């Protein structure tokens, strides 16, 4: 086999056996169990606490340097939609947000360390952005072509994104009219790292799709409900955009796991590194005290009846909790016992 064919074969093999995509809990048809249910046989109790969960550190790097997130806006986005997501990212490090806050949520992620004992960085900032409004790789993307979109962003002739493998995170956000492999049927978002054979660098990245036109009842739940749940009313979204408000928790999910497991060899549970169960997987669908199974937990409502569980700089958001390995259960800033 020629060197080129060998390289292609290795790339395809690596993609084929990449970790299972991760999402916040969604009401999949037939109530498919989430990844941690499969691993632990449904042993989790309320708020995910379980003596069966053994999240371990596998000696890989974590993001201890100041984290910079580079959004890639693929397709047509409204200015108001971008603002909601930008302000969520900016809220992660904010010290001025009202409690319970997004920055308080990030404190659980900060508890994780590398082999030197250094903690995940407290600082998460919005970096340079790239607009791909003309759908440079079409309106139907595969997992492999997602990496090609990132390559286009970091190698563009004008205003390329900076390449920062140590503390840069590349966040590909697809518009509602973009179809992505496995979107809606299996995933709402996932993370991995780019292959040097495609992009030229090993860069931690995540993809999250706007489900407003394709499957809001799946990926924007509980702000939309699927047709097979008759009688269940959707909750009012905190920022008036069901698709984008649904994306926020998935974005938080992916950022938390990229920080603690950027190269898929750091913090995860389970015996198989090809299918790691990570700190957000363990808390899928848990947004408040008492959450577990199909119950979100205790949430809050604003004066307009919109549902949220965390405050950002100027907005409110609904973001799933993450696993706290020191106490061995899911935690969040809106916990009633804090």
């Amino acid at each position: 086999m020629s060197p080129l064919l060998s390289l292609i074969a290795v790339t395809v093999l690596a993609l084929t056996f990449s970790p299972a995509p991760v999402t916040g809990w969604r009401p999949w048809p037939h109530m498919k169990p989430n990844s941690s249910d499969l691993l632990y046989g449904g042993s989790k109790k309320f708020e995910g606490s379980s003596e069966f969960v053994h999240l371990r550190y596998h000696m890989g790097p974590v993001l201890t340097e100041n984290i910079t997130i580079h959004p890639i806006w693929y397709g047509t986005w409204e200015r108001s939609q971008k603002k909601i997501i930008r302000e969520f990212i900016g809220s992660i490090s904010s010290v001025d947000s009202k409690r319970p806050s997004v920055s308080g949520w990030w404190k659980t992620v900060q508890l994780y360390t590398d082999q030197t004992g250094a903690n995940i960085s407290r600082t998460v900032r919005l970096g340079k952005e790239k607009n791909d409004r003309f759908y440079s790789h079409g309106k139907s993307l595969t997992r492999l072509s997602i990496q090609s979109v990132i390559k286009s962003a970091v190698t563009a002739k004008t205003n390329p994104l900076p390449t920062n493998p140590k503390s840069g995170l590349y966040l590909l956000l697809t518009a509602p009219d973009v179809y992505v492999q496995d979107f809606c049927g299996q995933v709402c978002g996932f993370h991995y790292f780019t292959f040097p054979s495609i992009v030229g660098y090993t860069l931690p990245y995540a993809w999250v799709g706007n489900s407003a036109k394709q499957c809001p009842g799946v990926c924007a739940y509980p702000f939309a409900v699927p047709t097979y749940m008759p009688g269940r009313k959707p909750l009012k979204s905190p920022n008036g955009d069901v698709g984008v408000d649904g994306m926020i928790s998935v974005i938080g999910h992916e950022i938390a796991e990229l920080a603690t497991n950027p190269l898929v060899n750091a913090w995860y549970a389970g015996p198989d590194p090809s299918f790691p169960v990570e700190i957000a997987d363990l808390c899928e669908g848990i947004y408040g005290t008492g959450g577990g199974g199909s119950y979100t937990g205790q949430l809050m409502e604003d004066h307009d009846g919109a549902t949220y569980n965390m405050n950002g700089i100027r907005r409110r958001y609904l973001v799933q909790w993450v696993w706290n390995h020191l106490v061995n259960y899911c935690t969040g800033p809106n916990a009633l016992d804090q």
Side-chain angles (χ1 to χ4, degrees):
M1 183 181 293
S2 69
L4 177 60
L5 289 177
S6 297
L7 182 59
I8 293 173
V10 169
T11 299
V12 173
L13 185 64
L15 189 67
T16 301
F17 291 97
S18 63
V22 292
T23 69
W25 182 84
R26 297 293 181 267
W28 304 117
H30 314 302
M31 296 300 182
K32 285 174 59 179
N34 62 34
S35 53
S36 54
D37 287 334
L38 291 172
L39 179 60
Y40 300 112
S43 64
K44 294 192 300 176
K45 303 173 185 176
F46 285 110
E47 298 168 31
S49 61
S50 175
E51 66 274 21
F52 295 97
V53 175
H54 300 292
L55 189 76
R56 295 192 300 112
Y57 178 51
H58 298 266
M59 305 306 288
V62 301
L63 300 186
T64 58
E65 299 182 19
N66 290 347
I67 299 168
T68 302
I69 297 176
H70 299 288
I72 302 170
W73 306 95
Y74 193 84
T76 304
W77 288 87
E78 297 176 9
R79 183 177 300 178
S80 60
Q81 294 177 319
K82 291 182 177 182
K83 192 172 182 180
I84 294 169
I85 294 173
R86 285 175 181 145
E87 290 187 6
F88 171 70
I89 295 172
S91 296
I92 294 175
S93 294
S94 172
V95 296
D96 299 323
S97 299
K98 180 182 176 181
R99 299 178 63 181
S101 66
V102 175
S103 57
W105 166 82
W106 188 254
K107 287 182 179 179
T108 300
V109 182
Q110 287 180 250
L111 296 174
Y112 290 84
T113 62
D114 65 10
Q115 55 187 301
T116 70
N119 291 84
I120 301 290
S121 175
R122 182 184 70 83
T123 302
V124 179
R125 58 195 174 201
L126 184 68
K128 192 173 181 180
E129 304 176 38
K130 193 69 177 174
N131 291 299
D132 196 334
R133 62 177 64 89
F134 298 114
Y135 306 86
S136 64
H137 293 263
K139 291 189 176 183
S140 183
L141 301 177
T142 65
R143 298 189 189 211
L144 206 56
S145 62
I146 280 175
Q147 297 205 18
S148 296
V149 174
I150 296 172
K151 177 184 179 180
S152 296
V154 300
T155 60
K157 292 182 179 180
T158 57
N159 300 316
L161 292 183
T163 52
N164 184 356
K166 290 188 176 181
S167 61
L169 300 182
Y170 299 80
L171 182 60
L172 178 62
L173 303 168
T174 51
D177 57 346
V178 178
Y179 296 85
V180 177
Q181 181 181 355
D182 297 327
F183 189 26
C184 296
Q186 296 182 30
V187 299
C188 302
F190 62 77
H191 74 88
Y192 203 48
F193 53 86
T194 61
F195 303 142
S197 57
I198 297 176
V199 180
Y201 307 89
T202 300
L203 304 174
Y205 77 91
W207 158 75
V208 179
N210 186 328
S211 66
K213 293 182 179 179
Q214 299 181 51
C215 58
V218 176
C219 290
Y221 182 88
F223 304 128
V225 295
T227 56
Y228 56 85
M229 289 184 173
R232 179 171 293 190
K233 294 183 179 180
L235 301 179
K236 184 177 180 180
S237 68
N239 296 290
D241 190 308
V242 168
V244 174
D245 276 319
M247 293 177 73
I248 291 296
S249 188
V250 185
I251 291 171
H253 181 125
E254 305 304 338
I255 292 174
E257 294 186 342
L258 279 168
T260 55
N261 199 29
L263 301 182
V264 202
N265 60 359
W267 287 95
Y268 64 86
D272 187 354
S274 298
F275 297 93
V277 178
E278 301 167 280
I279 72 167
D281 296 327
L282 290 164
C283 304
E284 290 174 0
I286 298 175
Y287 299 87
T289 298
S294 60
Y295 177 55
T296 59
Q298 293 289 320
L299 306 178
M300 296 177 284
E301 286 189 0
D302 65 15
H303 62 280
D304 291 325
T307 302
Y308 70 101
N309 66 344
M310 299 178 198
N311 294 289
I313 301 171
R314 285 174 291 273
R315 299 175 182 271
R316 291 164 171 163
Y317 300 99
L318 183 68
V319 187
Q320 70 151 93
W321 287 6
V322 292
W323 187 260
N324 184 326
H325 67 299
L326 299 182
V327 296
N328 218 40
Y329 55 81
C330 300
T331 57
N334 57 311
L336 296 180
D337 57 355
Q338 289 189 8

